[in-house]
Amino acid sequence: MRAGRTTLLAAALLVTLGAPASSARGILVACASSLGDLVDTAAAAFADADSSFGIRIHRAASNLLARQIEEGADVDVLLSADRRILERLVGTGAIAAGGIVDIASNRIVAVVPADRLIPVSGPERLVSDDFRAIALADTSVPIGYYASQYLRQDGLLHRLEGRTVREDNARAILAAVASGAADLGFVYATDAASSRAVRVVWAFPADRLPRVTIAGAVLARSREPERARRFLEFLAGEAGRRILQEAGFLPPGDDPR
């Protein structure tokens, strides 16, 4: 069933992102699902400072956005929760060499439903019978890649296979835990902070994870490259940094240990 939903989502995304980004319609910003609220806030703040063009926003998993861009979708700016995805697009020519801008850093945390009182001090507790449904994204999705890397180092990934509930992205994982459909899930710290229905039980140590870098770039095929660049510069500039900080993001390159 999930494969069918994924196929339908991909088809819908292609139609949405394939629409011409004309001057009258402004620019189209494609962003990771976990960055959607941040981009909404930044776009509103940008509009207050510069209302000469509009900004449309589309959210989906970073890997799905990258795939649609590779297939020719018209996007002006891509914001990803994983810098590696943008680096891959540089290799295809979809992003110009040197065009990636680091915007922020994040942390990975484990969350449980807020009303769940079972103590959890670390990952070794996950193999107990208290956790029969653990929400985890596929490794093709940034949050799934980060979490799987950590669990593999601890020799836990294969031991959790029978109790893993696969979700499409960090926000879907958050929703599964918040609703009680999953006993525990791995999300970004900023996602966890956005919901009162979950509780953080531990943070992944930064020295055992790839650096979680949020990055953006103007697409080589952008029909509005100057406007796209202005928005990206706004997000990476002083005003954008304030918005990022208020949302709980760390400065780019910051070590959250």
Side-chain angles (χ1 to χ4, degrees), residues 46-131:
F46 182 84
D48 288 341
D50 184 347
S51 59
S52 62
F53 61 92
I55 298 173
R56 292 175 292 133
I57 301 167
H58 187 85
R59 317 178 189 202
S62 293
N63 64 316
L64 182 55
L65 293 171
R67 186 161 67 247
Q68 295 302 316
I69 288 169
E70 288 172 335
E71 292 174 357
D74 286 329
V75 172
D76 297 291
V77 176
L78 175 62
L79 299 170
S80 173
D82 185 353
R83 196 182 200 277
R84 296 175 310 138
I85 288 177
L86 298 182
E87 291 169 352
R88 190 180 78 220
L89 289 174
V90 170
T92 69
I95 293 173
I100 300 175
V101 178
D102 291 342
I103 295 171
S105 297
N106 211 338
R107 294 166 294 167
I108 310 295
V109 298
V111 295
V112 298
D115 59 358
R116 191 177 181 100
L117 302 179
I118 296 175
V120 186
S121 58
E124 65 283 348
R125 189 78 167 80
L126 299 183
V127 297
S128 75
D129 290 339
D130 293 321
F131 300 96

Side-chain angles (χ1 to χ4, degrees), residues 103-168:
I103 295 171
S105 297
N106 211 338
R107 294 166 294 167
I108 310 295
V109 298
V111 295
V112 298
D115 59 358
R116 191 177 181 100
L117 302 179
I118 296 175
V120 186
S121 58
E124 65 283 348
R125 189 78 167 80
L126 299 183
V127 297
S128 75
D129 290 339
D130 293 321
F131 300 96
R132 296 184 179 275
I134 297 173
L136 182 69
D138 188 82
T139 54
S140 62
V141 179
I143 187 67
Y145 167 73
Y146 294 131
S148 294
Q149 286 285 96
Y150 178 73
L151 294 172
R152 185 176 289 110
Q153 289 177 29
D154 271 14
L156 288 171
L157 189 61
H158 71 283
R159 298 176 65 188
L160 299 178
E161 286 179 356
R163 60 184 75 189
T164 298
V165 178
R166 293 290 177 177
E167 298 292 347
D168 292 330

Side-chain angles (χ1 to χ4, degrees), residues 29-48:
V29 176
C31 68
S33 299
S34 60
L35 303 177
D37 293 346
L38 166 70
V39 179
D40 285 343
T41 301
F46 182 84
D48 288 341

Side-chain angles (χ1 to χ4, degrees), residues 146-249:
Y146 294 131
S148 294
Q149 286 285 96
Y150 178 73
L151 294 172
R152 185 176 289 110
Q153 289 177 29
D154 271 14
L156 288 171
L157 189 61
H158 71 283
R159 298 176 65 188
L160 299 178
E161 286 179 356
R163 60 184 75 189
T164 298
V165 178
R166 293 290 177 177
E167 298 292 347
D168 292 330
N169 53 57
R171 283 304 174 96
I173 293 171
L174 185 70
V177 176
S179 68
D183 300 314
L184 180 142
F186 305 108
V187 299
Y188 297 111
T190 48
D191 288 324
S194 72
S195 174
R196 295 183 178 181
V198 302
R199 178 171 61 89
V200 175
V201 288
W202 87 82
F204 285 26
D207 61 341
R208 297 183 54 199
L209 276 173
R211 189 176 295 280
V212 183
T213 300
I214 290 86
V218 175
L219 276 296
R221 290 191 304 270
S222 172
R223 303 188 186 193
E224 296 288 347
E226 290 305 316
R227 290 177 169 181
R229 191 169 296 109
R230 278 158 59 187
F231 177 68
L232 188 59
E233 288 174 351
F234 174 85
L235 193 57
E238 183 177 348
R241 284 197 297 272
R242 286 198 300 268
I243 294 170
L244 286 157
Q245 183 178 9
E246 290 172 2
F249 289 89

